[in-house]
Every structure is written in C-alpha cells, then in structure tokens.
Amino acid sequence: MTSTYAVLSEGLEKRFGEVHALRGLDLAVAPGTVCGILGPNGAGKTTAVRLLTTLLRPDAGSARVAGHDLVREPEAVRRAIAVTGQYASVDGDLTGRQNLRLFARLHRVRGPAERAAELLGRFGLTESADRAASTYSGGMRRRLDLAASLIRRPEILFLDEPTTGLDPASRTLIWDAVRDLTSDGTTVLLTTQYLEEADQLAHDIALVDQGRIAHTGSPAQLKALIGARVEIVVADADALGRAAGVIDQLTGGRPSFDPGRNAVGAVTQDTTLTVPRLVRELDAAGVPLLDASIRPPTLDDVFLRLTKELAV
C-alpha cells in the first residue's frame, strides 16, 4: 500500500457472529476531498466507518488512514482524525464557549480561548456562546458538536449523518463549513441519508452494498450510468399508450406511468435526443401533448436504480 491516499483500504472484512457485515471493502479517498459513503440500511456503512476510526478491529484486510496502518498504528490514526457522530457529544451543563475551551485544553491546543471564539463565529454561535448547551436547539447542538470536532484541525474528518433533522439554515452552515475544510486541505468522509447533501458536497461517492463497494465515481459519473430522464404529460389519459410507444421507440427504456398526472416517462442513454425531436415524434403519432421534458437524473435516481440492480 502507498500513502498517496488519505484513506486506502483493501479487502476489509468484519463479522458479528453469523452476520458478515463487510465482505472485502476496497476504498480509496484522495486528500482534500469529500467522499460520500452511501448505501441502503444494513449495507455496511457504519461498520466501515467504525473500522476506519479504530473503534473496531478488522477480521481481515488492511487499511491506511492518514498514512498510518489501521491495526499497527491505531494511536497515530486517532491523532490524525476527528469523528462527528449522529448525536451531539457536548456537555449540556456547560456553555458553548466552555465546551469548546474544554475540548481545546484536552487536546492541548494553543490559545484555547481564541480557538473557541474562532469556531463559535464560524458556526454562527457567537451570540449564544455563553448559554448552557442544554438550551440550544438541535441544529445549534449539531453545529457545536462539529465545532468541537475541529478544535485541533484534523487531517481527516468522519461525518456520520451530520445534518439529520436540521433546518435548512443550519444545514447550509454545515455545508459551508465542510467546503471550507476541504479548501484548506482536510479530507472528509461523509455518510448521509440526504442524497442532495452528497450531490452538493461529495467529489466522489462510494456506493456500499452487502459489505462491498459496488460503485464509485463522481456524482456526474454515477448519473451518467443511468442516462437522462424523459417525461411527457398528455391531455387525454387515453393517449398514454400511444405516448408510451413513442417513448419506448426513442429511448429503448421501459416506460413508467403516473396516471394521476397523465404522465409517462423513461430513462434514455441517447445523449442526442432533444425535446424538439421528442415533440415532433409525439405530434406525428397524434398524441395530445401538455408538456415534454428531458432532465439529467438526480442522485436519488442513481441510488434507486443502482440499489435495485444490486438487489436482483
């Protein structure tokens, strides 16, 4: 193994009794990027994160995190990383400022008061800095928790569903913080249930299924795997069949129906198909058209399509 990657794993395996949680996980994450780890429930995402953060020991395989061997140098790995879990770990009896100063002292950070003030400002918590953390909203506590993780400027930050349940304003603040981190050279591994979040933040995505990496690539590359989405809305429900025939002929995809909207659509890999051509063909077939569109797939489309394929 080389250390040119911030995280590099080969053949990681982990069992819990009869459950084979990881079945040979291969993952490569470039420094200074955000890697989104996605997958259905039970796919092995949490187990992978727990292994890479030294909370679990692998049964087989190897990995290097920040250039350090996961098994032989766990303390060095821990010094290089920070982890923000799904639940806030700050002390509710302390104020926001006191929490950050405490973390700074524990990590022997120089100028703990200054570092705490810097992070309070970065996460929009200055005005509430001297209130007990127990009085914070859920979004504020999540921001304070993330600020605590960044006290000592980690090389690699593991974020486990960092914005679950947050309002849009709090989510945006955390997204901006993640972008700032990567611009400064920090590597981020992100697990999230919000596919929009991965689409916004991730340079690369690893789709985990049944304990393995099933697909990897940038959001754009994964979207290209399933092509564009064609959809038409007709004025007369009786025309849906004719419309589906036209779409089938043009796209080669299996049409899907939305009877409530009088709509039919399909996925196409044909990058030359245009809306004007689609409209002409529908008009020639006598389809009373209300609307026609061709749009790039969303990451939700990718996730649903690829996980369905993996389940077959």
Side-chain angles (χ1 to χ4, degrees), residues 160-190:
D160 187 12
E161 301 187 19
T163 63
T164 297
L166 297 192
D167 60 84
S170 294
R171 188 175 301 160
T172 298
L173 278 172
I174 290 180
W175 287 4
D176 290 343
V178 171
R179 294 187 183 103
D180 289 343
L181 286 170
T182 54
S183 67
D184 290 339
T186 300
T187 304
V188 177
L189 269 73
L190 168 73

Side-chain angles (χ1 to χ4, degrees), residues 207-255:
L207 183 61
V208 182
D209 189 69
Q210 298 181 22
R212 298 186 180 93
I213 301 294
H215 291 278
T216 59
S218 68
Q221 288 170 333
L222 292 182
K223 290 173 186 177
L225 291 175
I226 69 169
R229 176 77 182 175
V230 177
E231 184 179 79
I232 64 172
V233 181
V234 299
D236 184 352
D238 293 337
L240 279 173
R242 296 199 305 275
V246 173
I247 286 184
D248 183 39
Q249 181 179 6
L250 290 176
T251 68
R254 180 179 299 175

Side-chain angles (χ1 to χ4, degrees), residues 34-41 43-46 49 84-86 142 158-166 171 174-175 178 188-208 219 299-300 303 307:
V34 178
C35 177
I37 302 177
L38 306 181
N41 291 333
K45 305 185 300 296
T46 298
V49 169
T84 298
Q86 296 181 34
R142 293 294 288 153
F158 290 82
L159 293 178
D160 187 12
E161 301 187 19
T163 63
T164 297
L166 297 192
R171 188 175 301 160
I174 290 180
W175 287 4
V178 171
V188 177
L189 269 73
L190 168 73
T191 67
T192 179
Q193 294 294 327
Y194 298 116
L195 298 183
E196 179 195 3
E197 184 162 82
D199 208 356
Q200 286 280 337
L201 297 177
H203 299 89
D204 292 289
I205 289 173
L207 183 61
V208 182
L299 206 52
D300 296 76
F303 184 81
T307 51

Side-chain angles (χ1 to χ4, degrees), residues 263-276:
V264 59
V267 172
T268 179
Q269 297 285 347
D270 184 359
T271 58
T272 67
L273 182 61
T274 63
V275 171

Side-chain angles (χ1 to χ4, degrees), residues 77-140:
V77 171
R78 293 181 198 121
R79 286 194 296 268
I81 68 173
V83 183
T84 298
Q86 296 181 34
Y87 305 101
S89 60
V90 295
D91 189 327
D93 292 332
L94 300 179
T95 68
R97 192 184 309 277
Q98 288 170 335
N99 267 287
L100 296 188
R101 286 183 178 181
L102 175 62
F103 277 95
R105 292 191 184 101
L106 289 173
H107 289 294
R108 300 179 181 178
V109 173
R110 291 183 179 179
E114 292 77 8
R115 181 61 174 155
E118 175 189 347
L119 289 168
L120 288 166
R122 185 174 192 173
F123 287 94
L125 295 170
T126 300
E127 291 185 3
S128 55
D130 297 310
R131 284 169 39 198
S134 60
T135 68
Y136 285 12
S137 67
M140 293 168 67

Side-chain angles (χ1 to χ4, degrees), residues 27-89:
L27 180 65
V29 182
T33 64
V34 178
C35 177
I37 302 177
L38 306 181
N41 291 333
K45 305 185 300 296
T46 298
T47 300
V49 169
R50 294 181 70 191
L51 282 174
L52 294 172
T53 56
T54 75
L55 296 175
L56 291 174
R57 187 181 180 92
D59 296 327
S62 58
R64 297 188 73 85
V65 178
H68 304 290
D69 186 272
L70 189 66
V71 174
R72 294 197 300 268
E73 304 172 276
E75 292 185 3
V77 171
R78 293 181 198 121
R79 286 194 296 268
I81 68 173
V83 183
T84 298
Q86 296 181 34
Y87 305 101
S89 60

